[in-house]
Amino acid sequence: MAPNMASAFGILGNVVSFLVYLAPVPTFHRICKKKSTEGFQAIPYAVALFSAMLYLYYAFLKKNGMMLITINTFGCTIEVVYLAIYMIYATKESRVFTTKLILLLNVSSLGCITSCTYYFAHGHLRLNIVGWICAVFSVAVFVAPLSIMRQVVRTKSVEYMPFTLSCFLTLCAVVWFFYGFLINDYYIATPNILGFVFGLTQMMLYLVYKNESMCRKQQVQPAEGGDSSNNHHQVKSSSNNQEVEVVVVN
């Protein structure tokens, strides 16, 4: 019974994670259409690529890791596509920064982790070390949205914290928690407890402040006979505050 349930949660986790990975598609469609990154940052996508590559390495080390291999292979592919599009349309400074970030995370850090664990650890010890690294990294990433939540409370606006994405990330954490629990892999299950808590908190904040955000949007709409240039400046300024959402699929 437990293996069947684990397989069911693994498949469901792949489906939900697939949808989460596709969440930035409208953003990159906008970037391609305008031929500009418009202040969007590459950090979430570089971190997501590092996470997918790290969990892919972990999946190859463990037995029956096919559920992790499938989704993280797709994750690596789609994040490479996102970063390639970003590099095409980014400014020179952004391209240099993104290149340095990719070299630091996806080449140096990942190379160091794989080399050290491959040569200095063997068997179950290697699996445990990589599992701990994955778990610690997942916890660090799940804590990252605290800055967004603080911004929501400070500005009383949920403009940069979409409810749909928060909902899918919460569902993703729940599904992968049960998958990890059912296969007795607590390196997968434990970080997703924190992911569920923060995801639920984001949704609660959205419900609390969504009405205030709607009221503020109505207030900044150009009034009849008002100063249209000032209103344009307000809208342009608000567009510079980009939401940073990091997706980690366990």
Side-chain angles (χ1 to χ4, degrees):
M1 183 67 178
N4 292 334
M5 289 185 65
S7 297
F9 276 106
I11 294 171
L12 182 59
N14 272 253
V15 172
V16 177
S17 299
F18 178 82
L19 295 175
V20 171
Y21 272 128
L22 293 179
V25 167
T27 296
F28 283 92
H29 178 264
R30 174 179 169 181
I31 288 173
C32 292
K33 187 176 181 181
K34 296 194 173 183
K35 301 184 185 302
S36 170
T37 55
E38 298 185 306
F40 285 100
Q41 296 182 355
I43 296 174
Y45 312 106
V47 172
L49 177 60
F50 175 74
S51 172
M53 294 173 72
L54 188 60
Y55 270 99
L56 197 57
Y57 175 49
Y58 175 70
F60 279 117
L61 292 177
K62 69 188 270 78
K63 295 179 180 178
N64 301 321
M66 187 55 63
M67 295 296 178
L68 295 178
I69 291 172
T70 52
I71 189 57
N72 285 292
T73 299
F74 174 76
C76 288
T77 304
I78 195 69
E79 296 301 337
V80 167
V81 172
Y82 291 153
L83 287 169
I85 295 173
Y86 182 89
M87 294 289 279
I88 291 171
Y89 295 109
T91 62
K92 182 179 179 180
E93 293 78 7
S94 296
R95 284 199 296 268
V96 171
F97 174 79
T98 303
T99 301
K100 291 179 178 178
L101 183 64
I102 292 172
L103 290 174
L104 175 64
L105 280 178
N106 306 105
V107 179
S108 300
S109 298
L110 189 67
C112 182
I113 291 170
T114 52
S115 298
C116 290
T117 54
Y118 183 81
Y119 289 108
F120 299 109
H122 304 280
H124 197 63
L125 177 61
R126 180 191 297 164
L127 183 65
N128 285 341
I129 293 174
V130 177
W132 271 110
I133 294 172
C134 290
V136 170
F137 181 77
S138 295
V139 168
V141 169
F142 281 134
V143 171
L146 280 174
S147 60
I148 299 173
M149 289 188 278
R150 186 175 64 236
Q151 180 184 359
V152 169
V153 174
R154 187 178 69 251
T155 62
K156 301 187 187 322
S157 171
V158 295
E159 184 177 359
Y160 302 105
M161 191 179 71
F163 181 81
T164 304
L165 183 57
S166 298
C167 182
F168 271 106
L169 289 172
T170 305
L171 180 60
C172 196
V174 171
V175 172
W176 285 112
F177 164 77
F178 280 109
Y179 174 76
F181 179 78
L182 289 169
I183 65 171
N184 296 318
D185 191 331
Y186 298 106
Y187 299 123
I188 295 176
T190 306
N192 282 292
I193 297 174
L194 191 62
F196 169 74
V197 171
F198 280 114
L200 195 62
T201 304
Q202 287 185 60
M203 290 193 293
M204 290 174 64
L205 283 176
Y206 184 92
L207 294 174
V208 169
Y209 290 110
K210 68 172 182 176
N211 291 330
E212 294 191 34
S213 295
M214 292 175 64
C215 292
R216 296 180 78 175
K217 281 184 179 179
Q218 292 175 354
Q219 290 174 2
V220 299
Q221 286 179 349
E224 252 185 75
D227 187 354
S228 60
S229 63
N230 185 51
N231 287 323
H232 174 72
H233 175 71
Q234 290 176 356
V235 173
K236 184 177 180 181
S237 298
S238 65
S239 67
N240 290 331
N241 298 321
Q242 302 298 343
E243 176 200 358
V244 177
E245 196 65 78
V246 180
V247 178
V248 174
V249 178
N250 293 331

